[in-house]
Amino acid sequence: MNRSEARSRIESLKTEIKRLNYQYFTLDRNEFSEEVRDSLKKELVRLESEFPGLVTPDSPTQRVGSALSGRFKKVAHITPKKSLADVFSSEEIVEWSERVTKFLPNEKMTFIAEPKMDGLNITVHYEKGKLIRALTRGNGVEGEDVTHTVRTIESLPLELEMPIGLEASGEVFLSKESFEHINLEQEKNEKPLFANPRNAAAGSVRQLDPAVSASRNLNIFFYELGRNTLKDLPSTQEQVLKTFHALGLPINPTYKVFSSIDDVVKFCGEWGAKREKLAFEIDGIVLKINEKSAQEKLGFTAKTPRWAVAYKFAPKQATTHVLDIIVQVGRTGALTPVAVLDPVFVAGSTVSRATLHNEDDLERKDVRVGDTVVIQKAGDVIPEVVEVMKNLRTGVEKKFHFPKKCPACGGAVEKPEGEAITRCVNSGCFAQEREHFIHFVSKHAFDIEGLGEKVVSGLVEEGFVSDPADIFSLTSDDFLSLPLFKEKRTSNLLSSIEKSKDVTLSRFIFALGIRHIGEEISQSLARYFTDHYGNGRSASFEMGKLIELMSHVKFEDLDNIDGFGGKVAQSVVEWFSHK
Ligand code: IVH
């Protein structure tokens, strides 16, 4: 990118980020996820560091976030509020622990892991055991006085179990259920909706009328001890939490203490998988050195403690540029438009392609080459283009025209009335054949190790295989005539082909690549056939016999199996009716 291109990109990024910030902070509304906003900011930071002359004081990268609105009285914090450094991977967790042990090589330390509630930080002050003040984090030095609303949080004691002085911080949050309930109410009253539970919690605390906050079902968990008149000072973070509990302050009981960092990493992974099912949102795990003495020795850098980090779950969304749009031909002839992307790191891996599903979807989202798009990766699902950021268009974006012929074989394509998918109808289409092979040997089918996409393409191109069964009669000479094959690789591959012959019936069915027959249905089918024809003894069936029986199966038989629609039954019967 040259300087003038960078200048105009920086300008549009600034305008868009400011617009999203305004929506988010002032209107408590989100048109795009925060992850999208963060991703745009990252791009802006990158461009500004490449072209430092283009940084202006009004850039969103130059402003230190401060949430002081002027609506509430400002009060100085007793202990200034620091924040935590973020880490995003197992490697970074381990690096942090290595930094700590390097700093204190002779110290015996344990780790404490606390799920990071996604809410807002509140500090409370008690005097002689009585709640006298509650402050937002504000700019870290001064916070807003929100005592009148925080007092309404039912789980927060107005009086402690002991008449002591105490400064303590915690996270105010809302359950997912309360958040949804609040938005229903907002909708009924024709008020703007909150983007997420965190925004709703923040909006509920920063109310002038405590009656509104009281109706919102807010909750708080404490984790940080400030100045206090406790007789017995806790010597670990775990004891801090136990002390809070004894005083009547709510804590998150799901914390855990570890002595090995590998177990900490495992714990973080487990919560990453569990988080969707929780009643409230967490955005990571806070990791701390448990011992207070070690914490004191480790101290702080300019902004953050050395003794703690926040492990953040990978964002599921990011923004990037569409470099090209291509159309792939699948195993069943389906034509799938795919966006070729400027590689971007999201949800733990780099993504350079994302599916656009089908022609209709592509039209509806109006994705063009050159667009800035939001991409999303959730779980094992293939990354997809969610939407286009149309405000970032410059006018040079190119519209994509869906091909009228199969891009692989040039054959005719068909899109039946009412269906979304366009298919190549040439049964000899090279691309379909190739995909069919790749599926046949894939992990959940015959699982032939070493037979990857490239080798399959080579075998099909050279004409060594034209039907998946041909794989089992390949010879070492066939492989040796392919590029990059020598004795060792050839003999390894031949032995994994041999090994793959020992296959379960369900994998075998799945490998056939019958339309609508995924892994689960393959299992049901295998069970049906072994139960009906193999005397229920799946271990002793004779495969050839079963396949023979399967080929005569009737629509009515299959239509009765649980979980089978007519579509599935029809597809199986049709497949076996082909010679
Ligand atoms: S300890 C010296 N523990 O994360 C920093 N913070 O980026 C002390 N948070 O502002 C923070 N759960 O709002 C700590 N168990 C936890 C936390 C936690 C959520 C928030 C808190 C803080 C931010 C730090």
Side-chain angles (χ1 to χ4, degrees), residues 171-457:
E171 205 78 354
V172 171
F173 63 94
L174 277 167
S175 68
K176 293 177 190 168
E177 195 186 343
S178 302
F179 160 68
E180 266 152 35
H181 179 76
I182 291 169
N183 263 354
L184 279 179
E185 288 293 305
Q186 293 284 104
E187 205 169 352
K188 241 195 266 163
N189 300 325
E190 295 184 358
K191 293 213 175 118
L193 300 189
F194 292 109
N196 51 43
R198 169 147 64 96
N199 271 16
S204 307
V205 167
R206 298 168 76 235
Q207 286 282 333
L208 293 170
D209 180 3
V212 175
S213 327
S215 72
R216 295 275 171 91
N217 221 352
L218 290 161
N219 224 320
I220 186 163
F221 281 155
F222 284 91
Y223 45 71
E224 202 187 355
L225 176 63
R227 194 195 289 173
N228 64 80
T229 61
L230 283 165
K231 274 210 198 71
D232 299 316
L233 273 186
S235 64
T236 61
Q237 170 67 7
E238 184 177 25
Q239 279 183 20
V240 167
L241 297 175
K242 287 189 169 155
T243 306
F244 283 154
H245 183 66
L247 289 169
L249 293 170
I251 58 160
N252 185 345
T254 56
Y255 70 87
K256 222 166 160 180
V257 177
F258 297 98
S259 49
S260 125
I261 196 70
D262 293 340
D263 293 339
V264 172
V265 167
K266 223 189 279 158
F267 182 81
C268 291
E270 282 162 15
W271 278 90
K274 265 199 290 206
R275 65 193 280 226
E276 311 289 347
K277 297 191 194 94
L278 295 178
F280 40 77
E281 286 197 351
I282 60 173
D283 61 337
I285 307 283
V286 178
L287 308 175
K288 299 173 183 170
I289 297 297
N290 194 23
E291 291 72 20
K292 286 276 172 191
S293 54
Q295 286 188 6
E296 268 156 38
K297 286 180 211 156
L298 286 160
F300 291 79
T301 66
K303 282 195 218 140
T304 58
R306 286 194 191 86
W307 45 265
V309 282
Y311 165 71
K312 289 285 193 69
F313 298 130
K316 292 185 191 125
Q317 289 194 342
T319 59
T320 188
H321 305 265
V322 177
L323 304 177
D324 197 5
I325 295 174
I326 57 171
V327 173
Q328 284 181 344
V329 185
R331 173 165 56 85
T332 58
L335 266 50
T336 307
V338 173
V340 180
L341 306 167
D342 200 0
V344 58
F345 194 76
V346 58
S349 67
T350 301
V351 169
S352 53
R353 282 172 182 225
T355 180
L356 291 158
H357 301 294
N358 54 55
E359 185 178 1
D360 293 350
D361 212 40
L362 175 68
E363 281 288 318
R364 191 172 53 74
K365 290 177 183 158
D366 187 19
V367 182
R368 304 179 188 182
V369 176
D371 267 335
T372 303
V373 287
V374 177
I375 62 154
Q376 176 165 290
K377 205 172 104 190
D380 304 333
V381 183
I382 356 172
E384 58 169 349
V385 172
V386 183
E387 64 185 307
V388 173
M389 306 206 68
K390 295 201 172 129
N391 286 337
L392 292 174
R393 277 193 177 153
T394 59
V396 303
E397 293 76 15
K398 279 203 228 58
K399 223 174 152 66
F400 179 74
H401 298 284
F402 207 80
K404 300 271 177 279
K405 283 186 176 153
C406 172
C409 70
V413 296
E414 251 178 41
K415 184 169 173 254
E417 193 62 37
E419 275 189 32
I421 300 193
T422 311
R423 276 176 214 284
C424 164
V425 288
N426 170 15
S427 60
C429 172
F430 170 80
Q432 285 182 53
E433 209 171 85
R434 196 184 89 105
E435 293 302 317
H436 188 189
F437 272 97
I438 290 172
H439 173 79
F440 189 83
V441 302
S442 66
K443 186 137 192 65
H444 298 284
F446 268 80
D447 191 18
I448 304 181
E449 212 180 308
L451 205 49
E453 293 191 17
K454 282 220 178 86
V455 184
V456 168
S457 296

Side-chain angles (χ1 to χ4, degrees), residues 82-84 114 116-117 121 171 223-224 286 288 305:
K82 304 272 186 169
S83 56
L84 296 172
E114 305 166 359
K116 187 171 186 298
M117 313 299 304
N121 184 289
E171 205 78 354
Y223 45 71
E224 202 187 355
V286 178
K288 299 173 183 170

Side-chain angles (χ1 to χ4, degrees), residues 43-278:
E43 185 186 347
L44 182 58
V45 168
R46 203 179 59 233
L47 283 176
E48 286 182 339
S49 71
E50 232 174 281
F51 299 93
L54 299 178
V55 182
T56 56
D58 73 328
S59 170
T61 60
Q62 301 303 302
R63 275 199 345 181
V64 192
S66 148
L68 294 172
S69 66
R71 240 186 306 170
F72 305 96
K73 193 172 78 184
K74 284 180 217 160
V75 178
H77 283 292
I78 301 176
T79 315
K81 302 279 104 195
K82 304 272 186 169
S83 56
L84 296 172
D86 292 333
V87 293
F88 295 97
S89 62
S90 320
E91 290 78 27
E92 285 181 315
I93 296 176
V94 174
E95 276 166 27
W96 166 69
S97 82
E98 285 170 356
R99 275 199 304 280
V100 168
T101 27
K102 209 167 151 202
F103 205 90
L104 292 180
N106 301 318
E107 193 95 5
K108 199 170 160 1
M109 290 178 277
T110 57
F111 304 99
I112 182 163
E114 305 166 359
K116 187 171 186 298
M117 313 299 304
D118 200 7
L120 80 152
N121 184 289
I122 290 288
T123 299
V124 293
H125 298 168
Y126 286 86
E127 261 174 29
K128 298 199 177 112
K130 297 222 166 51
L131 177 74
I132 56 154
R133 198 174 295 115
L135 304 176
T136 65
R137 184 179 183 281
N139 58 17
V141 178
E142 282 183 323
E144 293 171 316
D145 190 330
V146 286
T147 317
H148 63 296
T149 55
V150 170
R151 285 179 70 86
T152 68
I153 301 175
E154 231 169 292
S155 59
L156 179 78
L158 299 178
E159 192 162 356
L160 296 175
E161 294 294 319
M162 275 180 252
I164 56 163
L166 180 81
E167 177 199 15
S169 302
E171 205 78 354
V172 171
F173 63 94
L174 277 167
S175 68
K176 293 177 190 168
E177 195 186 343
S178 302
F179 160 68
E180 266 152 35
H181 179 76
I182 291 169
N183 263 354
L184 279 179
E185 288 293 305
Q186 293 284 104
E187 205 169 352
K188 241 195 266 163
N189 300 325
E190 295 184 358
K191 293 213 175 118
L193 300 189
F194 292 109
N196 51 43
R198 169 147 64 96
N199 271 16
S204 307
V205 167
R206 298 168 76 235
Q207 286 282 333
L208 293 170
D209 180 3
V212 175
S213 327
S215 72
R216 295 275 171 91
N217 221 352
L218 290 161
N219 224 320
I220 186 163
F221 281 155
F222 284 91
Y223 45 71
E224 202 187 355
L225 176 63
R227 194 195 289 173
N228 64 80
T229 61
L230 283 165
K231 274 210 198 71
D232 299 316
L233 273 186
S235 64
T236 61
Q237 170 67 7
E238 184 177 25
Q239 279 183 20
V240 167
L241 297 175
K242 287 189 169 155
T243 306
F244 283 154
H245 183 66
L247 289 169
L249 293 170
I251 58 160
N252 185 345
T254 56
Y255 70 87
K256 222 166 160 180
V257 177
F258 297 98
S259 49
S260 125
I261 196 70
D262 293 340
D263 293 339
V264 172
V265 167
K266 223 189 279 158
F267 182 81
C268 291
E270 282 162 15
W271 278 90
K274 265 199 290 206
R275 65 193 280 226
E276 311 289 347
K277 297 191 194 94
L278 295 178

